[in-house]
Amino acid sequence: MAAEHNDSFELYDLKVEAVAPPGAKVYSGAQPGDYFELKGEMLYLPPGQGFSIYSLSAVLPLLAAKQRETAPLDWMTSDEEIANPDPNCPVRLRITRTGKRTFRRADTTAVALPASAPAATGVPRATLAPGYDISRLIKGGWHLSGDHGAIDRDQALKDMASFVEAGITTFDCADIYTGVEEMIGDFRAAYPALAKSVRVHTKFVPDLAALDRVDPALVEASIDRSLRRLKQESLDLVQFHWWNFGIPGYVEAALELARLQRAGKIQHIGVTNFDVPHLAELLDAGVRVLSHQVQYSVLDHRPEHGMAAFCQANDIAFLCYGTVAGGFLSERWLGKPEPTETFANRSLVKYKLIIEDFGGWALYQDLLQALAAVGAKHGCDIATIASAAVLTRPNVAAAIVGATSAAHLDAHRRVGSVVLDADDLARIQAVTARRVGPLGDVYGLERDIAGRHGRIMKYDLHK
C-alpha cells in the first residue's frame, strides 16, 4: 500500500528580545526589552523599535532551525541566548518559542510533494494554547504508584529519559499517585537537559472524606506540595477532580486554582472526570479550562454523549486515558475465553467492567478481531491501532499510555505515524456500532459509590 502523505507542517512562532544586565552600556542599537517576532517567514517589529543589522546577522541564520522541532538534547532546543557580534556590547538576543502554527505545503511553494516522499514519522504534537504544545502521546504515571507491581525506581527514571528521547515529552501524574510526583521530580534533577522539553500534567484531587473541608489554605498547600515534589517553580497543568458534586465547594476550589494561576504557581488549569453541567459551572464562574482528561476508547464512547460538543464549543481539548483499556485491547486477549480468575491489578478489574457494559465478551472479541485486521494491514499491533483510532476523534489532543517500563516504547512511537483510512475506521465502527454501553456522561458510572464501578474505586489516597 502506498504511504499516505499529509500536506501540512508546523513551525514555531518566535520572539527575539534584547536582554542585558541592568545598567549595562549598549552599543548595538536595540535597548533591553526591544523585540521582534517571527511568524512563518514574516518578521514583525513593534513601532519605534529597531535592531542593528550586525546584531541581526548573528541571529538570523539560527531562526529557521529554531522554528522547527529539534531533539531534546540538541543545543538548538536548550540554548536560547545569542551573543552580540560586538565583543564589547553586553546585549544578547534571547529566542523564545511562543507558539506553533500549521502551514500547508501547497500554500507556501509551487513545488509539488514528490510521490516518493516518506510518510510522517515520530510522535506528533498538539498545541493547546499559544506557547504550550504537548506530545500527542502522554506517558501516564498511575502505573508507577504501586498498584501494578513493584517499581525499580532507578530504572523508572531511565525509562522516563527513554520516553523523552523518543519524542514522548509530556508526563501525566497526580498528587494521589503515591510517589510519582517525587519520581518525576527526581528525573528532572537527574536529567536537566531532557527535563527542559518536558511538560508535566499533575492533578489536584482532594480526598472524598475531606471535600467538606477544602478551603483556600488546603488548595494552596496541595499546590505547594506538588511544586516541591516535582521540583518546579510553576506547575505546567493542574487537572482538577472532585469526587462528589453533591458536596459543595468545587467552584470555590477551582477559583482558588485560578488565583494561584494568576500568582504564577500554575500555568494552566484543566479538569478530569467532570460531567457537562458541573464543567459548565466552572466556566460560568470565570475559570479558564484548557483541557479535560477523560476515559475515551473504542470500548468507551461516553465523551460523545454531550461532552465532546461542549468542549469543542469552549475550546477545551481532550486528554484521553484508557485508550487500550488497561491492556485488554491487545493480542494477549485475542481469541481467549472470558477470564474467571482474580485479576492481578485494579486496572484490569476496572476495564473488565467496561467490556461488560460495552456488550460483553463476545462483542469485545469481535472488536479485537477488527483491530487485529487493521493492524495487520499497517504492520502494527492492536494497542497501536486502538490508540490511533482515538486520536482521530474530534477534539482529542492526546492519548495517555500507561507504562511501567519502556518495553513497548517502539510500539508507542508508531501510534503517531499510523494513518487510518476510511476503510480502517469503518471496519472498527462496524463493531462499535453494536455496543450497548457504557451509558451516561463522563465518569457517571464511577461516581456512583454504591455501583459496580464505584465500589472498586479508592477515594482517600493522600498519605
Side-chain angles (χ1 to χ4, degrees), residues 206-221:
D207 284 346
L208 175 61
L211 292 186
D212 59 353
R213 301 193 302 275
V214 174
D215 59 12
L218 184 148
V219 176
E220 185 162 15

Side-chain angles (χ1 to χ4, degrees), residues 128-434:
L128 303 190
Y132 195 84
D133 68 289
I134 63 171
S135 53
R136 294 199 72 198
L137 288 181
I138 297 176
K139 186 184 187 305
W142 181 36
H143 293 70
L144 297 176
S145 63
D147 275 352
H148 294 75
I151 300 298
D152 181 332
R153 190 180 185 86
D154 290 340
Q155 185 59 48
L157 300 190
K158 294 176 183 176
D159 290 342
M160 290 180 189
S162 297
F163 271 78
V164 177
E165 289 168 343
I168 300 175
T169 60
T170 311
F171 292 174
D172 180 79
C173 61
D175 57 1
I176 58 169
Y177 296 172
T178 304
V180 178
E181 285 185 324
E182 293 95 332
M183 203 177 298
I184 294 174
D186 289 346
F187 160 78
R188 289 171 49 78
Y191 298 88
L194 290 177
K196 288 182 179 181
S197 64
V198 172
R199 305 287 195 188
V200 180
H201 295 177
T202 191
K203 301 181 188 74
F204 168 55
V205 186
D207 284 346
L208 175 61
L211 292 186
D212 59 353
R213 301 193 302 275
V214 174
D215 59 12
L218 184 148
V219 176
E220 185 162 15
S222 298
I223 296 305
D224 287 343
R225 180 181 58 204
S226 291
L227 286 168
R228 289 193 302 272
R229 289 172 171 176
L230 290 166
K231 298 179 173 64
Q232 290 184 302
E233 295 181 359
S234 182
L235 300 175
D236 296 324
L237 176 72
V238 174
Q239 302 162 107
F240 175 39
H241 176 82
W242 193 265
W243 290 111
N244 184 353
F245 292 126
I247 300 174
Y250 50 90
V251 173
E252 292 78 6
L255 288 170
E256 178 61 17
L257 291 175
R259 185 190 71 80
L260 296 173
Q261 182 182 31
R262 293 190 297 273
K265 292 188 176 184
I266 299 170
Q267 294 300 309
H268 299 286
I269 296 171
V271 296
T272 181
N273 299 326
F274 267 65
D275 57 21
V276 171
H278 296 95
L279 178 53
E281 281 191 64
L282 299 192
L283 301 189
D284 290 344
V287 180
R288 170 67 180 105
V289 176
L290 183 71
S291 63
H292 190 184
Q293 187 175 136
V294 295
Q295 184 169 298
Y296 200 3
S297 71
V298 292
L299 286 168
D300 188 351
H301 289 233
R302 282 178 291 173
E304 297 174 15
H305 302 163
M307 183 60 75
F310 179 84
C311 286
Q312 278 187 283
N314 290 280
D315 198 23
I316 300 171
F318 280 161
L319 309 178
C320 303
Y321 67 91
T323 58
V324 297
F328 272 116
L329 294 173
S330 69
E331 280 76 8
R332 176 185 175 187
W333 296 98
L334 179 62
K336 296 295 177 26
E338 186 168 5
T340 57
E341 70 275 10
T342 301
F343 289 115
N345 60 64
R346 196 155 49 94
S347 183
L348 291 173
V349 176
K350 168 184 173 64
Y351 291 109
K352 176 58 165 57
L353 294 176
I354 294 296
I355 291 171
E356 294 170 8
D357 292 340
F358 175 70
W361 196 258
L363 184 59
Y364 156 68
Q365 286 294 320
D366 289 348
L367 179 59
L368 287 183
Q369 290 173 13
L371 294 169
V374 175
K377 170 182 169 180
H378 291 278
C380 55
D381 60 20
I382 287 174
T384 298
I385 298 301
S387 293
V390 173
L391 290 176
T392 68
R393 303 277 173 80
N395 208 55
V396 171
I400 300 168
V401 292
T404 56
S405 72
H408 302 290
L409 184 53
D410 287 343
H412 294 328
R413 292 187 67 188
R414 288 221 56 196
V415 174
S417 61
V418 172
V419 179
L420 301 182
D421 60 28
D423 290 341
D424 298 330
L425 296 175
R427 188 164 197 161
I428 298 168
Q429 172 67 17
V431 180
T432 60
R434 294 155 48 201

